[in-house]
Amino acid sequence: MAISEALGERRTVHVPGAGTIEYRELPGEGPPFVFAHGVGVNGDLWRNVAPAVADAGYRTIAPDLPLGGHSLPLSEKPDMSLPGLADILGDFVDALDLHDVTLVANDTGGAITQCYIGRRPERIARLVLTSCDAFDRYPPPAVAYLKPTARVPGGLALLGQAVRWKAVQRLPIAYGWATHNPIEPHIMDSYTRNVRTNPGVRADLRRVLVQARKSDMQAASRSVANFDRPATVVWAADDRFFPVEHGRALADLMPDARFELVENSRTFIPEDQPDALLRLLL
């Protein structure tokens, strides 16, 4: 799971129909910020952003969603399609009884968030979408091999072993196009360890990949037009996975949204440009 103690105390919550979700939380008197990550990472993605948001007086919550970087396999067998993942995120918010939430999302977490706010936005007051899947990118072409790999017996186990090595991590088909600079080794271990060592985690990730459908993504992106609360779409200028045009299109669809471009960053803006993202959040 996320190992960054700067993200706060490790906690767990039972999500009905799914299982136990781990998260880290920092206290604050202001409305809560919930940070959603994508496939192959966990709450550590937000380690350079969430603590400063908490310092500004807000409660911050960084869950480890069941996307391969988590450590507790789901105890039940929920639908892991995009709508199913949106329900897991929504049920997580419900289980913590959060209201007036600012939801911040990246990568696959942004895809899940689009589906979530289009279906059940009641608890979400503000939205920040950073570079993420949208429209016909689910998954993006560079990592589309993950879906057939998940169907091959032992495929994800072999991938988990391969991604131990820095040279593999920096390939475009791994994490190389996600950031300009290599991620710290102990954080990369946090991201990749459990898909290598935990069969239950691999089973969760397999269901996510096998059930990924572009039609679900297209419907989710169109549904953001129903979100009429303040939103900011933040895109990486150097993104190699997701076209900038998709970010502008998402912002155009939402009635109360603005678009921001972050220079010198790839998809993982919280890794490449955390200070720039923090300024936009606050």
Side-chain angles (χ1 to χ4, degrees):
M1 68 165 296
I3 61 172
S4 301
E5 293 185 0
L7 289 169
E9 181 182 352
R10 173 194 176 272
R11 298 182 178 179
T12 62
V13 65
H14 178 72
V15 174
T20 300
I21 301 289
E22 292 178 295
Y23 65 100
R24 287 188 179 270
E25 177 175 349
L26 290 166
E29 296 298 322
F33 276 66
V34 174
F35 295 88
H37 61 80
V39 164
V41 300
N42 55 36
D44 281 327
L45 181 73
W46 307 103
R47 68 195 181 280
N48 296 319
V49 176
V53 174
D55 288 344
Y58 298 95
R59 180 184 179 189
T60 66
I61 296 164
D64 286 348
L65 299 173
L67 302 175
H70 59 303
S71 62
L72 291 182
L74 297 180
S75 57
E76 303 183 42
K77 303 295 182 186
D79 174 17
M80 300 286 268
S81 68
L82 188 58
L85 293 169
D87 284 340
I88 291 173
L89 178 58
D91 291 344
F92 171 81
V93 171
D94 291 352
L96 294 180
D97 195 25
L98 302 177
H99 298 273
D100 196 24
V101 173
T102 298
L103 180 54
V104 186
N106 178 253
D107 193 38
T108 327
I112 296 167
T113 291
Q114 290 168 57
C115 192
Y116 173 28
I117 64 167
R119 301 170 73 208
R120 46 193 288 193
E122 295 80 12
R123 293 176 182 261
I124 309 304
R126 290 160 297 278
L127 173 68
V128 181
L129 278 180
T130 72
S131 288
C132 60
D133 302 75
F135 303 107
D136 62 345
R137 295 291 177 103
Y138 186 67
V143 293
Y145 74 92
L146 290 172
K147 188 168 182 175
T149 298
R151 296 183 183 276
V152 176
L156 290 180
L158 288 173
L159 181 63
Q161 292 297 330
V163 84
R164 296 173 62 185
W165 309 108
K166 183 176 179 180
V168 175
Q169 293 167 7
R170 295 309 298 166
L171 291 174
I173 61 172
Y175 295 84
W177 276 2
T179 62
H180 275 302
N181 299 309
I183 300 166
E184 304 100 298
H186 68 290
I187 298 297
M188 280 302 309
D189 184 59
S190 156
Y191 291 164
T192 62
R193 180 191 321 118
N194 286 304
V195 79
R196 180 172 68 250
T197 62
N198 192 320
V201 168
R202 287 198 297 274
D204 289 343
L205 177 59
R206 179 185 182 277
R207 294 202 303 278
V208 171
L209 295 172
V210 167
Q211 296 182 41
R213 297 186 291 265
K214 291 185 185 296
S215 58
D216 287 339
M217 185 71 263
Q218 290 166 335
S221 292
R222 291 193 299 268
S223 75
V224 303
N226 299 321
F227 187 78
D228 59 0
R229 297 160 194 183
T232 304
V233 179
V234 183
W235 224 257
D238 304 334
D239 204 306
R240 305 292 295 274
F241 289 127
F242 308 117
V244 173
E245 293 76 15
H246 281 184
R248 296 188 190 278
L250 287 171
D252 287 343
L253 280 170
M254 288 182 279
D256 188 12
R258 75 179 195 272
F259 178 82
E260 299 282 353
L261 193 65
V262 174
E263 300 291 341
N264 195 31
S265 181
R266 289 185 174 170
T267 302
F268 288 178
I269 301 174
E271 294 279 2
D272 269 351
Q273 293 293 339
D275 292 341
L277 179 56
L278 180 63
R279 287 193 294 272
L280 293 171
L281 290 178
L282 295 180

